[in-house]
Amino acid sequence: MEEEFHELTDRVRAELRSPQDLVAYERLLGLARKNTPAGREELAQMLVAVERPLWAREIAAFILGCAGDKRAFETLVLLLNYRDPVRCATAAHALGRLGDPRTARAAAALATNPLRTAYALHPVRLLAELRAPQSVPALIATLERLLTPHTPYWRVALACVEGLGALGDRRAVPTLAAAVGHPRLAAAAAASLARLGVHEDVRAEAGGDGGDGGADGVGGRREGPAPGATGRR
């Protein structure tokens, strides 16, 4: 937690706007350093208190989440679905250490929601880290939805491809084979299939044409121009 906590507190310090903010900020850091039951209770109360700034709730939830205190769950899930990628990453780190069985269900719901695809990168990565029963089905469903020509969310698709390779579940083979036909995903999809023990000829037979140009060096297909769209992050 040490490196991530320093990154969080350095970022938050730049958001402080008043002497009162600085006092509250130093109080939070003091509670983190003490790491006592009384201190964790104060942090938990901060999560439900009215008119607390977002940065204060973020620090409190991060400290509690990394300590395995499940009172941080709701705040961390809210931050995992936040529009700021940096806050999503911080929340994902703490949720990965929280040990709450609700985490995988929440991450799967966020990853598979087509209305939240722009914010799905960190839920996808969290699912791969958790290795929960929901992980593989959610990553497959998300990747299948993104295997369309010129998707602007190719970074989310790439995280799905890499996560499925790391999880090592052969249910992902057909979807990964389809991903081989997408230039931005081809290399990672081939590597993930190799981790699953799928040979080159099988990839070529199963991959088909993703409608986004061929993939160089896989099944003898020629690589087309990479799509010009970029992801939100």
Side-chain angles (χ1 to χ4, degrees), residues 13-227:
R13 190 177 183 90
E15 300 179 23
L16 305 181
R17 295 293 179 264
S18 69
Q20 291 77 14
D21 284 349
L22 182 59
V23 170
Y25 171 85
E26 295 292 350
R27 174 69 178 168
L28 284 169
L29 268 56
L31 293 173
R33 285 190 291 267
K34 289 179 181 178
N35 192 27
T36 62
R40 289 191 292 274
E41 184 64 34
E42 185 173 339
L43 291 169
Q45 290 301 315
M46 192 170 298
L47 297 180
V48 296
V50 297
E51 298 183 354
R52 293 288 186 176
L54 180 62
W55 59 259
R57 296 176 189 272
E58 182 182 11
I59 292 176
F62 182 87
I63 296 168
L64 291 171
C66 289
D69 191 318
K70 293 179 174 55
R71 290 175 291 184
F73 174 77
E74 285 81 5
T75 301
L76 290 172
V77 169
L78 174 67
L79 292 167
L80 184 65
N81 192 34
Y82 201 68
R83 62 182 178 271
D84 184 348
V86 179
R87 285 198 158 99
C88 295
T90 298
H93 179 86
L95 283 165
R97 285 139 190 83
L98 180 60
D100 192 312
R102 297 172 292 175
T103 298
R105 293 193 296 272
L110 293 175
T112 57
N113 184 346
L115 300 179
R116 305 299 295 172
T117 304
Y119 310 104
L121 179 61
H122 292 288
V124 162
R125 289 175 175 171
L126 179 59
L127 284 167
E129 177 185 346
L130 292 172
R131 308 185 75 88
Q134 297 88 346
S135 296
V136 170
L139 295 186
I140 290 174
T142 303
L143 179 57
E144 286 177 345
R145 190 177 75 247
L146 296 177
L147 291 180
T148 57
H150 313 302
T151 176
Y153 306 119
W154 64 268
R155 288 184 177 86
V156 177
L158 180 61
C160 291
V161 168
E162 293 170 343
L164 288 169
L167 290 169
D169 192 312
R170 290 185 64 88
R171 287 177 294 174
V173 168
T175 308
L176 289 172
V180 170
H182 292 250
R184 292 188 186 273
L185 308 178
S192 290
L193 285 166
R195 295 180 74 172
L196 295 174
V198 178
H199 299 295
E200 190 86 3
D201 55 344
V202 177
R203 295 202 299 269
E205 180 181 349
D209 183 3
D212 209 11
D216 184 42
V218 180
R221 291 191 295 275
R222 180 174 53 84
E223 182 176 2

